[in-house]
Amino acid sequence: DADVTQTPRNRITKTGKRIMLECSQTKGHDRMYWYRQDPGLGLRLIYYSFDVKDINKGEISDGYSVSRQAQAKFSLSLESAIPNQTALYFCATQLGQGATGELFFGEGSRLTVL
Amino acid sequence: AQSVTQLGSHVSVSEGALVLLRCNYSSSVPPYLFWYVQYPNQGLQLLLKYTTGATLVKGINGFEAEFKKSETSFHLTKPSAHMSDAAEYFCAVKNGYSGGGADGLTFGKGTHLIIQP
């Protein structure tokens, strides 16, 4: 089983709908991240969390929200999806303070907003 | 703030030829540098990383990279390309989190490696 699991893997939705992408991990890592990947733009950081009480905005947080339900679970929500949020979304984990910074990625959630 | 520039969005090499993917970085702190690979329909997998110590680092699948501070570079190489190396490659630098800066990694825009038979 994958250490970092994302659901759903693929989702097609319509403009204005609320969408939640879920991430769970079995690595026991404290830090979790949501990135967005667009062709030609690489990965950009949306939100990150150091623990259940510590949520931080990343580079492109507008239009997104997150919830850290437990150490192992970190969800990304789009309250009202729009077409330019069509992208591949990745959840990642990191061991924590003092670590090298290496991120461990899930397999991605491909979201299409029509 | 950290940034990463990958020269060439697409690189094409013949099978058996040298692979060279270029990465330059900007960092306000001593950099920790990474190369990740993404195969189609998969997540990102770590190829190698530089933190401290030896500037030539070896990774999986025969790849290696050399940290050159004077050139602010961390280019990825492989002596002989294989068809299975076809993928997207990302260079990344650790963010220097310090009382307000973002955590995580800053990624380059990626280089798509094409292997010609």
Side-chain angles (χ1 to χ4, degrees), chain A residues 33 35 37 99-100 102-103, chain B residues 32 36 38 49 94 103 105:
Chain A
Y33 305 78
Y35 280 86
Q37 183 182 13
T100 62
E102 179 182 351
L103 295 180
Chain B
Y32 287 5
Y36 282 85
Q38 183 183 28
K49 63 183 177 185
K94 181 181 180 183
D103 194 67
L105 303 180

Side-chain angles (χ1 to χ4, degrees), chain B residues 42-95:
Chain B
Q42 294 188 24
L44 277 73
Q45 177 184 2
L46 182 71
L47 270 178
L48 48 80
K49 63 183 177 185
Y50 168 79
T51 55
T52 58
T55 57
L56 181 63
V57 293
K58 296 185 184 298
I60 62 172
N61 301 336
F63 284 94
E64 62 182 37
E66 187 172 11
F67 168 61
K68 292 187 176 181
K69 183 178 179 181
S70 61
E71 298 178 7
T72 60
S73 69
F74 191 57
H75 301 331
L76 181 71
T77 60
K78 182 174 180 178
S80 178
H82 191 274
M83 294 300 290
S84 61
D85 294 327
E88 190 85 12
Y89 291 80
F90 293 95
C91 182
V93 62
K94 181 181 180 183
N95 291 333

